[in-house]
Amino acid sequence: MTRTFAHHAIRAFALGTAIVATPIAAQAALALNIPTNALQANAVQAFSQDALDSFDIVGITLQPLGNATVVANVPGAYNLPVTSISLQFLKIAGGASTGSALEFNRLDDDSGKRTRVTLANFSIDFNAKKILADATQQGQAAVKKTPIFDFHEQTPLGLKYQFPLSITGKQILDKLFLTTEGKKLFKVGLELPDIADLVLETTDFGTIAIDVAVKPRNRPVSNRPYVVAP
């Protein structure tokens, strides 16, 4: 089964080479959505020390769910398997970590109240330079594709083609700052005090390192959307 998934993904990548011969006006309609859940494709989100310190101050802890896992020996880093990428004009237009989730839990020491915000099914829009996720506040319905972070491309993502057909891509996104929607989500959903407003406004939340390789995983990860438990 792994070979079958990998074979389809490689064939999809191969189709990308055909776009070169297509008139520019028609290329926009030839976006390719490539499944990568059977391949060694990962995005590692590493929260900055400033972000981790801020979490500690207000009593926030993180828990990876679904496909997401803790990166060993790297505090505040989580691996989010990349389940698909999309190409347009032979460039990466987007990517998704469907099935991965990060749960932010907060305990208010003064009131003893617990609150929770869950981000799931992450996606990257390289055109808008946004990190999006299905955002769920405790006890409420998920708001799909909520813009959470703005980002900067520290390094451009280069797809390298080698004969017979091997394609790799690496990139680092940095300067992760909360969007207006992201700030509101955390402020309201985690019932943060007003003193946290400046932190939400000015904190660089870290980096995302993307590594895509056409090599099969030992076992494909699920590409089903993660659904937050009630």
Side-chain angles (χ1 to χ4, degrees):
M1 183 175 290
T2 299
R3 288 186 178 181
T4 301
F5 275 111
H7 180 66
H8 288 320
I10 290 172
R11 287 186 62 188
F13 267 119
L15 287 174
T17 61
I19 297 180
V20 176
T22 304
I24 294 296
Q27 287 187 18
L30 293 179
L32 295 174
N33 190 42
I34 303 169
T36 57
N37 59 306
L39 306 179
Q40 292 182 19
N42 297 288
V44 173
Q45 179 158 3
F47 287 94
S48 66
Q49 190 59 53
D50 285 345
L52 296 177
D53 290 344
S54 299
F55 293 159
D56 286 341
I57 291 172
V58 294
I60 294 175
T61 58
L62 269 71
Q63 179 182 0
L65 300 170
N67 295 339
T69 56
V70 172
V71 177
N73 302 317
V74 184
Y78 300 89
N79 184 53
L80 312 172
V82 178
T83 53
S84 67
I85 62 174
S86 58
L87 290 177
Q88 193 170 42
F89 298 104
L90 283 182
K91 294 183 179 180
I92 298 292
S97 291
T98 304
S100 291
L102 293 177
E103 183 179 88
F104 297 76
N105 293 279
R106 178 174 181 251
L107 172 63
D108 188 325
D109 288 336
D110 293 330
S111 66
K113 185 176 181 179
R114 294 182 181 274
T115 50
R116 182 180 70 233
V117 165
T118 307
L119 303 180
N121 308 315
F122 298 90
S123 60
I124 299 176
D125 184 336
F126 283 96
N127 294 322
K129 289 185 166 45
K130 305 281 186 185
I131 307 294
L132 304 99
D134 297 347
T136 306
Q137 298 180 39
Q138 184 172 332
Q140 298 187 24
V143 180
K144 295 186 176 182
K145 294 190 177 298
T146 301
I148 304 298
F149 295 110
D150 293 309
F151 68 83
H152 167 262
E153 296 184 62
Q154 185 184 106
T155 57
L157 178 57
L159 292 177
K160 298 180 180 180
Y161 296 77
Q162 294 179 337
F163 184 84
L165 183 60
S166 175
I167 304 172
T168 59
K170 295 179 182 292
Q171 185 174 39
I172 295 178
L173 310 180
D174 62 3
K175 298 181 181 177
L176 301 183
F177 289 92
L178 288 172
T179 62
T180 299
E181 296 90 342
K183 286 180 283 191
K184 181 178 180 180
L185 172 69
F186 283 106
K187 176 67 184 295
V188 176
L190 296 175
E191 298 185 7
L192 297 174
D194 290 342
I195 58 173
D197 289 354
L198 183 61
V199 174
L200 296 175
E201 184 71 35
T202 62
T203 297
D204 180 344
F205 279 80
T207 62
I208 295 176
I210 302 168
D211 192 345
V212 177
V214 179
K215 296 179 182 178
R217 294 183 184 273
N218 292 332
R219 182 178 180 181
V221 297
S222 172
N223 57 5
R224 293 182 179 180
Y226 183 88
V227 179
V228 177

